[in-house]
Amino acid sequence: MTRLEGLRIKTDRANQHIAELDAAIRLFLDSSPYEVSPNHNYQTREMEWYLTKADPIPPSISAIAGDAIQNLRSALDHLAWQLVLANRGIPKIRVTGFPITKSSQEHASAKCRRKIEGMRQAAIDAIDALKPYDGGNETLWRLHCLNNIDKHRLLLPAVSALMLHHLLPSQRKELVKIYFGSHPNATTFPDLRGMFTEPMNARFPLEVDKVFLSIPESEMENNFTFRFGVVFNEPGVCERESVLETVKQFAGLVNEIIKVFAPLL
């Protein structure tokens, strides 16, 4: 087995978890877990929506997301181990690893540099160029934090969020204005009535019997609908971000990092 093949075992396993995660989230959302009721607030002249039903998100979704994240984070540590071996060095158990730290100062510390001891300088330079710390590479930092959290308890994607709603008339009008401003010779514009947009003032996380969205009555149209999603709720790390899309982003980054370092293996 080549060094690269060993790393791919971890990333392939992560991809299997991601496919399982996708299926689990789809199964949950397809089960009609939410029921929505409108309320016309005549004092504020707004239409309000609140949930009358919100089924709990299965804990298995948290477990699957954690498994995917763990495989991706450990793939990076395996990469560090192989980079030392590629330089004919001797990796050290509990020391050698792919450094992801809280700050650039910590990344430059002696403790952190011990993790990459034994690698050739080109590998060390490539790691430094990634800026694997909070404030440098935020995606790596969030991957690292979520992996640490999952080692001690289930991650908290167990919250629902309003992800999208239909474009409002005023939003469609503004898009049309922008389009014709940049295409003065255009005579037609696509019908946007079926398009969705992210909410600007939705309550998070969603709670039963509480208003989650208010829209001016002047903006209301028939067939106004919503799309809900399963999101992370880890304060200070990953909040109101799609569980599936976030984990996919982690996987994409780890795969790109492995490609960059492949010539050094």
Side-chain angles (χ1 to χ4, degrees):
M1 180 183 299
T2 67
R3 294 191 175 98
L4 197 57
E5 288 172 340
L7 296 176
R8 289 303 182 194
I9 289 175
K10 281 290 185 180
T11 57
D12 287 349
R13 186 57 180 154
N15 288 333
Q16 292 172 9
H17 286 308
I18 292 171
E20 186 181 356
L21 179 64
D22 188 6
I25 292 174
R26 287 177 184 272
L27 182 65
F28 171 71
L29 295 177
D30 288 345
S31 69
S32 300
Y34 309 108
E35 291 182 1
V36 176
S37 290
N39 174 59
H40 194 162
N41 189 325
Y42 291 97
Q43 290 184 331
T44 63
R45 299 179 66 84
E46 292 179 322
M47 287 298 296
E48 302 171 336
W49 283 269
Y50 62 96
L51 288 177
T52 57
K53 170 192 171 185
D55 292 340
I57 296 172
S60 59
I61 290 178
S62 297
I64 299 167
D67 288 344
I69 289 170
Q70 196 278 331
N71 275 279
L72 292 169
R73 180 63 183 93
S74 63
L76 294 176
D77 284 333
H78 282 227
L79 172 62
W81 189 275
Q82 295 300 328
L83 287 169
V84 174
L85 289 176
N87 196 34
R88 299 183 180 180
I90 301 176
K92 299 177 183 178
I93 295 176
R94 297 182 182 179
V95 176
T96 300
F98 196 96
I100 304 176
T101 60
K102 293 181 180 179
S103 65
S104 58
Q105 291 80 11
E106 184 177 342
H107 178 73
S109 68
K111 180 180 179 181
C112 180
R113 305 318 275 185
R114 284 197 293 272
K115 288 180 175 289
I116 53 180
E117 191 174 275
M119 297 181 188
R120 67 185 68 175
Q121 190 60 46
I124 295 173
D125 291 344
I127 289 175
D128 290 344
L130 286 171
K131 299 181 179 180
Y133 44 79
D134 187 16
N137 190 314
E138 292 301 318
T139 303
L140 274 179
W141 172 242
R142 290 190 300 158
L143 168 63
H144 177 71
C145 288
L146 291 178
N147 181 59
N148 282 341
I149 291 169
D150 187 65
K151 290 177 181 178
H152 299 90
R153 61 165 171 80
L154 281 177
L155 294 169
L156 292 178
V159 294
S160 303
L162 174 64
M163 305 300 287
L164 301 168
H165 62 64
H166 269 126
L167 276 171
L168 303 178
S170 62
Q171 293 172 321
R172 295 201 305 267
K173 183 178 179 180
E174 184 62 24
L175 287 174
V176 170
K177 180 180 177 181
I178 293 172
Y179 178 81
F180 283 119
S182 58
H183 300 78
N185 296 323
T187 57
T188 60
F189 187 80
D191 186 354
L192 301 177
R193 283 175 291 183
M195 290 187 64
F196 286 78
T197 186
E198 295 182 4
M200 298 185 64
N201 61 346
R203 175 185 289 274
F204 173 78
L206 299 180
E207 298 179 64
V208 173
D209 295 329
K210 291 188 177 180
V211 173
F212 66 84
L213 184 68
S214 299
I215 299 291
E217 60 183 25
S218 60
E219 295 273 20
M220 288 313 305
E221 295 180 310
N222 294 331
N223 302 319
F224 185 77
T225 57
F226 313 95
R227 289 183 181 174
F228 298 97
V230 179
V231 300
F232 282 114
N233 187 28
E234 292 292 348
V237 179
C238 198
E239 296 179 80
R240 202 173 180 173
E241 296 185 46
S242 165
V243 170
L244 180 62
E245 293 308 315
T246 299
V247 177
K248 284 183 177 179
Q249 183 183 31
F250 292 157
L253 177 60
V254 170
N255 282 316
E256 285 302 313
I257 289 173
I258 291 174
K259 287 180 182 178
V260 169
F261 283 87
L264 301 174
L265 296 176

